[in-house]
Amino acid sequence: MANSPAVPLAGTPPFTVKPLAGRRGPTPQQDRAARTKAQVLIAAAELFTANGFRHTSVKDVAERVEMTKGAVYFHYPNKEALAVAVVEHLYAKWPILLDEIRAEGMTPLDAAAAMLDRAALAFRDDVIVQAGARLQLERPHIDAELPPPYVDWTSLLTELLTAAKHEGQIKAGTDPAAAARALVAGFFGMQHISDVLQHRADIVDRWQEVRNPLFEAIRA
Ligand code: LUB
């Protein structure tokens, strides 16, 4: 096709641009900058998770990674940019998880269950996920455009449950979108209660109590 770029435009989602043969990868300086940026993000996520957005400062983040505030500002212009990046990294995890699950060859219904089962582990163990969830609750106090909550999961589960319906895996009368909304609501509430009462230590057991009746209600 005329004018089709020989190489996808850098940063054009969802493509990742791999260096062409003979093209050099990142320089040691670029590597170091990427590692520093990741360290800053993790430190911010740890502080957002523990103390929330309002009680976290860029100074706190800098001190946690033993850098100057200027070094943090080099990567993120302000605290709001850190919050946006944490939430963006939260939502970027799920398509990667879905690719892993699809590669295991599961049926659509089993893939939907597996997605949420593994999400429960991520909410228990992954500080980016924990921080992103807390920041979403604190949206009214964050003067930035955070990605909208819940919609990605609802779309992802609707797609999987629609495929499950086409394959006869769920009851003919099931509305995949309604079932997806119920699963998202159930998981959201479950992980929040587990967080408030047990810092998500019991999230796996609590999720079983929610997921089993929900999936049994729709399974053909
Ligand atoms: C999920 C949370 C916590 C939805 O998708 C989201 O925004 C979510 C944080 O806002 O649970 C249920 C999978």
Side-chain angles (χ1 to χ4, degrees):
M1 184 171 67
N3 301 328
S4 67
V7 175
L9 293 175
T12 304
F15 305 112
T16 50
V17 178
K18 294 182 179 54
L20 283 178
R23 281 267 185 98
R24 284 193 306 278
T27 64
Q29 294 81 356
Q30 288 167 328
D31 247 352
R32 194 162 51 251
R35 278 199 306 276
T36 304
K37 189 170 186 176
Q39 280 177 310
V40 168
L41 194 68
I42 291 291
E46 290 166 345
L47 290 166
F48 288 148
T49 297
N51 306 321
F53 181 79
R54 282 182 288 178
H55 297 295
T56 296
S57 68
V58 171
K59 180 172 178 289
D60 297 331
V61 176
E63 286 174 356
R64 191 173 185 90
V65 288
E66 297 174 349
M67 294 178 199
T68 63
K69 283 173 62 178
V72 175
Y73 284 128
F74 175 77
H75 294 290
Y76 297 97
N78 50 42
K79 188 171 63 165
E80 287 73 13
L82 280 164
V84 169
V86 167
V87 176
E88 287 176 344
H89 279 74
L90 159 61
Y91 292 126
K93 290 176 181 290
W94 309 131
I96 295 167
L97 178 59
L98 181 57
D99 286 346
E100 290 170 6
I101 286 172
R102 285 193 197 280
E104 295 173 30
M106 286 184 202
T107 66
L109 188 60
D110 289 348
M115 277 296 295
L116 290 164
D117 292 348
R118 296 183 199 181
L121 298 176
F123 275 84
R124 184 190 66 191
D125 302 336
D126 185 332
V127 71
I128 292 288
V129 175
Q130 295 157 2
R134 179 162 184 174
L135 291 169
Q136 286 291 30
L137 292 176
E138 298 178 352
R139 290 170 68 86
H141 310 294
I142 303 172
D143 183 17
E145 195 67 37
L146 293 182
Y150 322 126
V151 292
D152 288 2
W153 267 107
T154 305
S155 302
L156 183 154
L157 292 170
T158 299
E159 186 182 328
L160 287 172
L161 295 180
T162 299
K165 186 168 185 179
H166 287 154
E167 295 187 18
Q169 287 193 292
I170 61 178
K171 293 185 175 92
T174 305
D175 172 358
R181 289 192 295 271
L183 284 166
V184 168
F187 187 99
F188 172 76
M190 175 282 302
Q191 65 79 31
H192 180 68
I193 292 170
S194 178
D195 180 30
V196 170
L197 298 181
Q198 298 291 340
H199 300 293
R200 295 194 180 93
D202 64 353
I203 191 172
V204 172
D205 292 340
R206 282 183 183 270
W207 169 233
Q208 296 302 313
E209 292 170 354
V210 173
R211 75 125 38 216
N212 293 341
L214 281 179
F215 276 95
E216 282 321 303
I218 64 175
R219 192 182 298 276

